[in-house]
Amino acid sequence: MNGKKSEIKMSRREFLGLSALGLGISLAGARPATAVRAASPDEVAILYDPVKCVGCKACQMACKRWNRLPNESTDPLRIYESPWGLSAITWNIIKLRRTEVGWHFFNYQCMHCADAACVEVCPTGALSHDPLGFVSLDRDKCNGCGYCTQFCPYGVPHLQVANLLTGEAKSAKCTLCQDRLWAGIGGPSCAEVCPVGALTWGKRGELLEKARARVTELQSRGMNARIYGENEAGGLHRLSILLDEPEQYGLPSVPKTPAFARAWQRVIQPLGNVAFGAALVGILGAFLFVRRKIRMEEVR
Amino acid sequence: MTVQLKGRAEAITIQWIPKYTFMERLGHWLHTATFVPLAVTGMILYFPFLQPLAQGEAGLLIRLVHRIAAVIFGLLPILYFIIQPRRLLLNIREFLPNKDDLGWLKGAPAYYLLGRHEAMPPQGRFNAGEKMNGLVMIIAWFVFGLTGLPMWFGKGVIPPELYRWLVVFHDLAMIVSVCMFLVHLYLAVAHPLMWAGLVSMRFGVTSADYAAEHHAKWYYGPKRAMEIWEAKKREAAQH
């Protein structure tokens, strides 16, 4: 036993083989480290102008009708804002907001981020970036994990929980009427139905031009107008004109969750894969090495 | 043609001594039987290449399996505590670090890779490696429970800011405990020096020779174990 050499020897082939295995394991689970996604001008988008909005809720109705969403029980204490917010069965809603110009209407729906945290954390691929730019949802793929509901910087996706104990659930949110767009029937039903042109849809680049002109006009009328969604979260596909700071609308000036989601999915998890790779390679290396160095005959 | 026998033929007799109680073994194997399905179903959400298994009905099923296994996994130490509270506390105390662990850390590479017996100072019923495994699993049990239960029941109740950190820590606990599990599995199943480990976890007994070699402080008692080891070192130095 004492005559054994103490240095650890390994052939070059074995070393290279093990290294390649480790690298393979580490990369097997890695997502491609693509650059942060950004919106392009040819993609489809919606523009919302709260100054034009009369709060008729036709958009809410059209959304429910097209997407076959059931009614939601209303709160008798809330006369206008009812239902009180977005839910698994309410994907589009007008709420009252008090900003520096006073009370006015504001429409909430999915913002369709180009750099969407929900897509980043979705383990099933049910949420994805459609080539047309919006964030598509395939309910058949969804397994109800609900990560999207916790990572969305706007609190948009909601879980339709069938059973809390078993976890049976499905995510739900505005899809920009993806079925209408894919079938070529027309644009998002909320924008199609809006009687005053507060919600309009079209190519994102053209809508941005329109929004800029509108902001200039509103500013000349003394309003503190600005565009929201041009660059936030990689650029939104639901552009809004705001009359005050985003926070007054409950919108973050800088959405932080896309970066958090990326750090989790593209830094922490790949480091975990490196750990798994190192553990497996170490074990395999030890196995190959030890079976030559230690003879069972000498073991007590 | 003659066949040359090396050494003389003799019957090998192993003296078996008790090592693990029935409850320790039952707890160990139920822990394994829940940890493995938990790791597998969890990894289906973790690895993007397993995405097809995470989708739709299959995804609902793996999430259900994860929950059923999680309930048993979570209850095991609690049941053990209810049935044998003193034994559980004793086990936890056995896992706490002491100065023997430094000697193990120093000697481990030469011992486990090269089989140099004199490099390993005497150890108790659990050596530093086994303690590390035990402590990682104990800490992971707490982290899995403290993050997993709010992930299950807390959606829409706890702030999303907190929830986002919970999923990250659930992942980290999985990464560390699965790596530990892989090393543990190798040592228990494939390492020649550890041949009696699996036997004792299955049948509760270990070989007296094995115990003297691997767990001398437990087998001989601390004082006698050190005397024997000192003598062994002197003998090795003379050669």
Side-chain angles (χ1 to χ4, degrees):
Chain A
M1 216 159 292
N2 294 324
K4 268 184 190 143
K5 282 182 192 162
S6 61
E7 71 268 30
I8 294 171
K9 269 191 180 165
M10 194 177 272
S11 78
R12 183 184 293 177
R13 217 177 78 185
E14 272 174 1
F15 176 77
L16 289 176
L18 283 174
S19 308
L21 179 75
L23 194 66
I25 294 162
S26 302
L27 292 177
R31 286 167 182 240
T34 48
V36 177
R37 281 178 53 93
S40 90
D42 284 334
E43 292 168 344
V44 175
I46 290 179
L47 170 64
Y48 176 67
D49 181 347
V51 183
K52 285 184 179 166
C53 182
V54 293
C56 69
K57 296 198 176 195
C59 48
Q60 250 177 266
M61 295 289 285
C63 174
K64 287 249 178 196
R65 196 185 316 136
W66 178 260
N67 293 300
R68 295 198 183 87
L69 300 171
N71 294 330
E72 201 156 346
S73 59
T74 51
D75 182 346
L77 294 178
R78 288 166 174 264
I79 294 164
Y80 184 82
E81 283 187 338
S82 188
W84 62 272
L86 294 176
S87 71
I89 53 170
T90 300
W91 301 349
N92 185 310
I93 195 164
I94 297 186
K95 297 185 74 160
L96 280 164
R97 282 289 160 186
R98 188 174 189 169
T99 66
E100 60 173 43
V101 296
W103 287 100
H104 64 86
F105 301 111
F106 198 81
N107 172 289
Y108 291 89
Q109 60 189 144
C110 176
M111 294 294 189
H112 297 283
C113 318
D115 179 26
C118 62
V119 175
E120 185 73 30
V121 300
C122 179
T124 63
L127 286 161
S128 61
H129 292 286
D130 190 88
L132 290 172
F134 57 87
V135 174
S136 153
L137 172 61
D138 181 346
R139 300 248 290 168
D140 289 339
K141 283 185 183 168
C142 176
N143 70 16
C145 74
Y147 291 166
C148 53
T149 66
Q150 304 297 310
F151 277 80
C152 174
Y154 303 105
V156 167
H158 280 76
L159 272 189
Q160 204 161 9
V161 179
N163 188 332
L164 181 67
L165 219 51
T166 62
E168 193 183 344
K170 287 277 176 190
S171 181
K173 74 164 194 80
C174 155
T175 64
L176 215 87
C177 286
Q178 60 189 17
D179 39 358
R180 291 171 65 90
L181 291 166
W182 287 336
I185 298 170
S189 45
C190 56
E192 294 270 25
V193 83
C194 181
V196 291
L199 280 165
T200 48
W201 75 282
K203 285 191 175 172
R204 190 172 183 275
E206 288 164 17
L207 290 180
L208 268 176
E209 292 291 307
K210 204 167 114 182
R212 284 194 197 101
R214 179 69 172 155
V215 162
T216 315
E217 187 202 330
L218 292 174
Q219 281 170 346
S220 72
R221 281 160 56 181
M223 284 186 238
N224 191 8
R226 72 202 69 191
I227 302 172
Y228 185 82
E230 188 171 1
N231 299 310
E232 287 79 2
L236 307 180
H237 293 82
R238 170 28 227 268
L239 301 162
S240 312
I241 290 169
L242 304 186
L243 307 173
D244 204 336
E245 298 294 328
E247 280 73 16
Q248 296 300 312
Y249 296 87
L251 305 171
S253 294
V254 182
K256 294 192 180 75
T257 58
F260 190 101
R262 233 189 333 276
W264 174 35
Q265 295 285 323
R266 292 176 202 257
V267 181
I268 294 171
Q269 291 196 345
L271 284 176
N273 297 339
V274 171
F276 292 141
L280 286 172
V281 166
I283 288 164
L284 197 66
F287 175 76
L288 294 173
F289 183 78
V290 164
R291 54 192 261 148
R292 249 172 288 167
K293 286 285 172 185
I294 302 176
R295 289 178 203 291
M296 207 57 208
E297 296 93 311
E298 293 162 8
V299 171
R300 282 204 299 170
Chain B
M1 201 174 131
T2 53
V3 175
Q4 230 183 344
L5 279 175
K6 281 184 179 170
R8 88 195 139 85
E10 62 181 20
I12 297 169
T13 51
I14 294 177
Q15 193 197 342
W16 297 106
I17 58 169
K19 180 149 185 219
Y20 296 121
T21 67
F22 175 73
M23 289 303 288
E24 280 173 334
R25 285 179 286 141
L26 186 68
H28 175 271
W29 290 117
L30 286 175
H31 186 270
T32 316
T34 48
F35 181 86
V36 173
L38 279 166
V40 170
T41 51
M43 281 172 166
I44 290 173
L45 293 199
Y46 178 92
F47 286 116
F49 72 90
L50 293 175
Q51 200 176 70
L53 295 171
Q55 288 169 344
E57 292 296 311
L60 286 174
L61 183 68
I62 62 118
R63 289 181 56 235
L64 180 62
V65 171
H66 197 79
R67 276 152 205 243
I68 294 168
V71 169
I72 306 168
F73 181 85
L75 286 178
L76 280 177
I78 296 168
L79 289 175
Y80 190 33
F81 178 71
I82 291 169
I83 299 167
Q84 295 188 340
R86 287 163 63 89
R87 191 82 208 174
L88 177 68
L89 293 177
L90 182 79
N91 288 145
I92 292 172
R93 207 184 312 152
E94 282 178 298
F95 285 145
L96 295 179
N98 61 25
K99 61 178 182 350
D100 291 345
D101 303 333
L102 284 174
W104 184 90
L105 286 170
K106 247 185 263 170
Y111 181 71
Y112 288 97
L113 291 175
L114 305 166
R116 283 170 52 180
H117 293 239
E118 72 285 358
M120 183 53 71
Q123 299 290 314
R125 190 166 81 118
F126 292 108
N127 66 35
E130 291 163 331
K131 285 180 186 177
M132 242 191 300
N133 184 56
L135 283 176
V136 163
M137 288 301 165
I138 290 170
I139 294 164
W141 182 82
F142 281 105
V143 178
F144 283 134
L146 291 174
T147 57
L149 282 173
M151 281 163 70
W152 187 346
F153 296 107
K155 261 180 244 137
V157 182
I158 59 165
E161 292 78 13
L162 176 63
Y163 190 98
R164 297 196 278 266
W165 282 106
L166 294 182
V167 291
V168 169
F169 276 96
H170 206 77
D171 264 13
L172 290 174
M174 186 277 282
I175 291 164
V176 173
S177 59
V178 166
C179 285
M180 200 74 230
F181 170 79
L182 291 171
V183 175
H184 178 68
L185 186 71
Y186 161 67
L187 288 170
V189 173
H191 198 285
L193 289 180
M194 313 303 288
W195 65 274
L198 197 54
V199 175
S200 31
M201 212 28 109
R202 285 169 66 198
F203 304 108
V205 291
T206 193
S207 133
D209 281 347
Y210 181 89
E213 157 97 17
H214 289 259
H215 306 284
K217 281 197 169 175
W218 171 65
Y219 184 70
Y220 293 115
K223 197 165 163 252
R224 180 88 185 100
M226 289 313 284
E227 286 168 10
I228 292 170
W229 190 56
E230 294 296 342
K232 216 195 269 181
K233 270 203 300 192
R234 275 197 300 275
E235 194 192 333
Q238 281 167 8
H239 279 275

